């Protein structure tokens, strides 16, 4: 699927991040990035069915699991028009955007990783997750510290510096209640990404996050 040429194209794009260069090299983007990504997504579909049937692997060219190459520059000082990484999200069937529960794949020349969970959830969703943790912290600790999960994944994301309003500062799970993101990261080597068994490797690591992702889905009242 992905090759050294795929990574080299991302580096070339970073060095020539403008519309003229991209249009002149669009065929390279199609052959080295979009088509390998769509093949990977198609291979992930039956794997997700075995452990996360409500998460969608959609290989469409646009509007599917492959995230757009175009950056949203409206509120950014960086006005370069293109992303220099490959981003793939297997979103929950009820999700409308990247903030929904999901499984994520990030491929770039400087880092490759898998992600799971809820990134920057909206206020209502964040409150639901925090309330679940606050009311039954022992269940959260069991999921967070489950051996199969911690063996593959590391909790990540942004946190508040102070306890969120409405939660006691001395709560036993206060550091987790401060979280603004409920995501976990699993780093990958370039060799793993370029290997023939990339999809099966990613599927196995995603499956190891089942208790964590199911907890979030339960908190948000959506099927896992």
């Amino acid at each position: 699927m992905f090759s050294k040429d795929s990574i080299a194209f991302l580096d070339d794009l970073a060095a020539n991040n403008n519309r003229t260069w991209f249009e002149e090299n669009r065929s390279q983007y199609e052959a080295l990035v979009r088509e390998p990504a769509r093949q990977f997504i198609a291979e992930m579909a039956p794997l997700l069915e075995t452990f996360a049937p409500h998460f969608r692997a959609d290989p469409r060219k646009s509007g599917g699991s492959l995230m757009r190459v175009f950056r949203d520059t409206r509120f950014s000082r960086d006005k370069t028009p293109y992303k220099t990484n490959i981003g793939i999200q297997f979103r929950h069937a009820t999700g409308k955007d990247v903030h929904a529960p999901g499984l994520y794949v990030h491929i770039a020349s400087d880092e490759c990783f898998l992600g799971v969970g809820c990134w920057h959830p909206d206020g209502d969703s964040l409150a639901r997750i925090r309330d679940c943790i606050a009311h039954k912290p022992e269940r959260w600790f069991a999921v967070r510290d489950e051996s199969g999960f911690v063996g593959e994944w590391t909790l990540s994301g942004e946190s508040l510096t102070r306890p969120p309003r409405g939660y006691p500062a001395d709560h036993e799970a206060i550091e987790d209640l401060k979280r603004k993101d409920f995501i976990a990261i699993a780093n990958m080597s370039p060799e793993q990404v370029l290997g023939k068994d990339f999809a099966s490797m990613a599927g196995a690591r995603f499956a190891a996050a089942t208790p964590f992702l199911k907890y979030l889905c339960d908190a948000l009242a959506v099927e896992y």
Side-chain angles (χ1 to χ4, degrees):
M1 288 178 284
F2 298 108
S3 68
K4 291 181 179 179
D5 289 338
S6 303
I7 305 300
F9 177 86
L10 297 176
D11 284 337
D12 289 343
L13 178 57
N16 302 275
N17 201 328
N18 61 79
R19 289 180 174 81
T20 299
W21 185 90
F22 186 82
E23 289 304 321
E24 290 175 350
N25 293 272
R26 182 178 282 276
S27 62
Q28 291 287 90
Y29 169 74
E30 295 289 341
L32 300 175
V33 175
R34 180 178 268 177
E35 289 310 311
R38 293 179 66 210
Q39 181 183 348
F40 168 74
I41 293 165
E43 289 194 18
M44 285 297 299
L47 297 177
L48 293 182
E49 282 290 334
T50 65
F51 66 88
H54 295 284
F55 289 78
R56 298 291 178 255
D58 184 344
R60 286 180 296 167
K61 280 191 173 184
S62 61
S65 298
L66 177 62
M67 301 176 77
R68 286 163 45 91
V69 68
F70 305 102
R71 294 182 63 249
D72 184 351
T73 61
R74 292 174 298 171
F75 309 108
S76 174
R77 292 182 179 180
D78 180 1
K79 297 302 182 182
T80 51
Y82 302 105
K83 299 173 185 175
T84 57
N85 69 277
I86 301 168
I88 297 168
Q89 189 192 34
F90 304 117
R91 191 179 304 163
H92 193 277
T94 63
K96 297 180 180 179
D97 54 33
V98 295
H99 308 293
L103 311 164
Y104 177 69
V105 180
H106 183 98
I107 300 170
S109 60
D110 58 343
E111 64 174 348
C112 299
F113 63 86
L114 303 175
V116 293
C118 296
W119 177 75
H120 289 8
D122 61 62
D124 180 65
S125 297
L126 184 57
R128 284 171 176 260
I129 297 169
R130 284 175 173 165
D131 283 348
C132 279
I133 294 173
H135 293 155
K136 292 186 177 181
E138 66 283 355
R139 184 186 172 207
W140 164 250
F141 293 145
V143 169
R144 185 196 66 182
D145 302 332
E146 195 270 328
S147 60
F149 177 64
V150 299
E152 298 283 353
W153 298 89
T154 302
L155 290 177
S156 185
E158 298 180 11
S159 292
L160 298 170
T161 56
R162 297 178 180 276
R165 184 177 299 177
Y167 300 92
D170 61 351
H171 192 284
E172 59 185 306
I174 193 60
E175 292 307 313
D176 291 311
L177 292 172
K178 290 179 183 178
R179 294 185 183 277
K180 297 165 64 178
D181 299 311
F182 283 88
I183 58 173
I185 300 297
N187 291 317
M188 301 182 292
S189 68
E191 291 74 21
Q192 288 175 308
V193 173
L194 303 181
K196 293 181 179 180
D197 62 345
F198 178 36
S200 59
M201 182 277 293
R205 298 189 84 169
F206 281 141
T210 293
F212 175 72
L213 203 53
K214 185 178 185 305
Y215 180 94
L216 297 178
C217 287
D218 288 347
L220 299 176
V222 297
E223 290 185 286
Y224 180 80

